[in-house]
């Protein structure tokens, strides 16, 4: 019997760290990427990664969406890249390393849900949270957080047309992270991202996880080790259950597949 040696890595989190409730969330650092990658895997996304290369490549079951997590030199590179297709149009978005997974995860979670009939107005979400909004005569729109460290813009580029740019900066206007989204993305995905962007809910981070400690407030409270792991496990369980339900519904609606057969349990495997 081969015993796996203990190798200290961040993959053993959250048990090896002390966690702090951290505000504001958009300056709290990237967090644990498994919040996103394991959620997509639980929903049935395929792992197309090369095990000998430092990246993660996931594709949705129908191959209409893909996500790449690929560390770049320096913290400001395009670590997260998401491609999609909606109504015969492809779209693309990218995010830096320090983009909090709780904010980006709101977008990837929305990929797993049905398209809503109504999408909440994006700018209303921000102004309701106290952001300052303005629009110029060319249709460019801009909203900034009251503390001046976070900004969302929708503006036109001669080559690319309208697109969105979210940017978190220090008090010296040094970039902490950016998120770039194409305007042809489905509106409900952009709305899910901006809703999480405007949230004032804290996130759990270790001291070393925060890129600029002087910009955040950290208190040693909130969920720790076992509770954090339990919450993540519960999230994955719920996503798996929803994915199974969706697959059954799709099988039952497929022409030529009787509902009784589609929903019948599989026979137990013989020994």
């Amino acid at each position: 019997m081969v015993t796996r040696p203990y190798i200290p890595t961040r993959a053993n989190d959250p048990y090896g760290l002390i966690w702090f409730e951290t505000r504001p969330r958009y300056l709290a650092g990237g967090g644990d990427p498994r919040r996103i990658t394991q959620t997509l895997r639980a929903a049935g996304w395929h792992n197309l990664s090369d095990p000998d290369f430092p990246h993660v490549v996931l594709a949705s079951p129908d191959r209409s969406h893909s996500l790449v997590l690929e560390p770049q030199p320096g913290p400001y590179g395009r670590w997260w890249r998401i491609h999609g297709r909606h109504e015969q149009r492809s779209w693309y978005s990218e995010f830096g390393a320090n983009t909090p997974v709780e904010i980006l995860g709101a977008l990837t979670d929305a990929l797993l849900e049905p398209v809503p009939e109504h999408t909440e107005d994006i700018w209303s979400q921000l102004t309701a949270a106290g952001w300052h909004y303005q629009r110029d005569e060319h249709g460019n729109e801009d909203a900034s957080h009251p503390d001046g460290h976070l900004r969302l813009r929708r503006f036109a580029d001669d080559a690319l047309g309208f697109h969105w740019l979210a940017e978190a900066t220090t008090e010296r206007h040094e970039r902490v992270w950016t998120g770039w989204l194409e305007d042809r993305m489905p509106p409900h995905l952009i709305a899910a991202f901006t809703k999480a962007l405007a949230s004032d809910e804290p996130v759990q981070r270790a001291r070393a996880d925060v890129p600029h400690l002087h910009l955040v407030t950290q208190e040693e409270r909130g969920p720790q080790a076992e509770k954090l792991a339990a919450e993540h496990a519960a999230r994955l369980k719920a996503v798996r259950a929803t994915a199974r339900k969706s697959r059954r519904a799709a099988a039952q609606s497929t022409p030529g597949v009787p509902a009784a057969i589609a929903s019948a349990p599989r026979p137990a495997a013989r020994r």
Side-chain angles (χ1 to χ4, degrees), residues 74-132:
Y76 308 120
R78 302 176 301 161
W79 283 47
W80 297 92
R81 302 195 299 277
I82 306 173
H83 293 79
R85 177 170 292 278
H86 177 69
E87 296 180 350
Q88 306 304 314
R89 295 192 305 173
S90 60
W91 55 265
Y92 172 79
S93 61
E94 62 184 38
F95 304 86
N98 288 323
T99 307
V101 294
E102 294 82 0
I103 295 176
L104 181 53
L107 190 160
T108 55
D109 286 350
L111 289 173
L112 308 179
E113 301 169 358
V115 178
E117 295 182 1
H118 172 73
T119 299
E120 186 178 351
D121 180 69
I122 291 171
W123 302 111
S124 297
Q125 293 178 349
L126 301 179
T127 55
W131 289 45
H132 308 294

Side-chain angles (χ1 to χ4, degrees), residues 4 6-8 29 69-71 113 160 163 178 197 221 224:
R4 182 187 177 195
Y6 173 74
I7 302 175
L69 169 57
E70 196 163 57
E113 301 169 358
L160 301 174
H163 57 273
T178 59
L197 199 67
R221 65 183 185 186
Q224 298 293 318

